[in-house]
Amino acid sequence: MRIRTLMLALLVSVPPMALALAQSSQEPISRGENLPRLGEIMLAKQWRHIKLWYAGKAHNWNLAAYELAQIKASLTQAAILYSGIPVSDVLILDAPIQSIDKAIQSKDNASFVKAFNDLTNGCNACHRKMGREFIEIKLPAELPFSNQLFTPPAKQ
Ligand code: HEC
């Protein structure tokens, strides 16, 4: 409950990358048994990375905004639960996330593609810095979700 409250507080009232605050302690905020493992949080991020890409490609900007928010939330979650992740590494994604946000707001496909590439490079930069260079993220080449429409809904 405490973690949930903190996460909500971070997401609602603080610029997303004020995660530095959450990182200032070297101790995890909670050692509860239900903590998702970092690998699980990352797996969710991997799915959302794919969904974000295809939402943007399909110009479904509302879906893209939604997926971007999910990515931000999982980054926040990782930063809060795993204080071993250095702040500087978490901040790697700050600029790309903001650029994607802007691209979505202005429905600008070219900027979206560029910012998405920067985001992907940011994922890998952190993996390299944390000794996980063997986890290399790339632009999605295929949409693995056959049960979801990515095109925007028809105008009502
Ligand atoms: C702040 C650092 C950091 C950032 C930023 C980061 N990762 Fe990770 N990621 C990690 C670490 C550390 C691990 C290894 C976790 C472990 O050892 O359990 C990891 C693991 C993973 C894994 C492997 C999970 C598995 O079980 O197969 C995937 C996939 C992944 N990250 C995707 C991403 C994507 C996509 C992004 C960008 C949107 C991203 N990561 C951004 C630190 C980061």
Side-chain angles (χ1 to χ4, degrees):
M1 189 59 201
R2 202 169 145 222
I3 290 174
R4 190 177 155 74
T5 312
L6 276 169
M7 276 175 60
L8 287 175
L10 268 177
L11 289 173
V12 173
S13 62
V14 181
M17 294 303 136
L19 295 172
L21 286 175
Q23 285 287 291
S24 59
S25 155
Q26 283 310 300
E27 280 300 304
I29 287 175
S30 162
R31 293 183 188 279
E33 281 176 14
N34 296 324
L35 287 188
R37 294 162 51 104
L38 186 54
E40 312 303 331
I41 297 174
M42 288 290 159
L43 266 181
K45 224 194 323 254
Q46 180 178 24
W47 288 125
R48 284 170 173 143
H49 179 262
I50 297 178
K51 289 190 171 198
L52 174 61
W53 175 245
Y54 282 99
K57 275 186 71 157
H59 296 189
N60 189 344
W61 301 114
N62 286 341
L63 179 60
Y66 172 84
E67 295 299 347
L68 184 65
Q70 301 297 319
I71 288 179
K72 271 199 265 188
S74 68
L75 193 62
T76 307
Q77 191 184 26
I80 289 176
L81 297 182
Y82 293 90
S83 62
I85 299 179
V87 182
S88 55
D89 294 350
V90 176
L91 293 177
I92 288 173
L93 294 189
D94 186 18
I97 284 179
Q98 293 201 11
S99 306
I100 295 179
D101 198 26
K102 270 197 207 128
I104 290 172
Q105 298 301 324
S106 50
K107 305 185 175 163
D108 178 343
N109 193 50
S111 306
F112 176 85
V113 170
K114 188 194 169 306
F116 190 90
N117 272 295
D118 293 344
L119 176 77
T120 307
N121 292 336
C123 304
N124 290 327
C126 187
H127 292 163
R128 279 194 300 274
K129 283 181 80 179
M130 299 203 64
R132 303 295 195 284
E133 63 288 336
F134 51 87
I135 302 172
E136 198 168 349
I137 306 299
K138 66 177 195 67
L139 279 193
E142 198 180 316
L143 180 59
F145 304 98
S146 58
N147 59 350
Q148 183 177 354
L149 274 178
F150 281 73
T151 45
K155 291 237 158 56
Q156 307 280 327

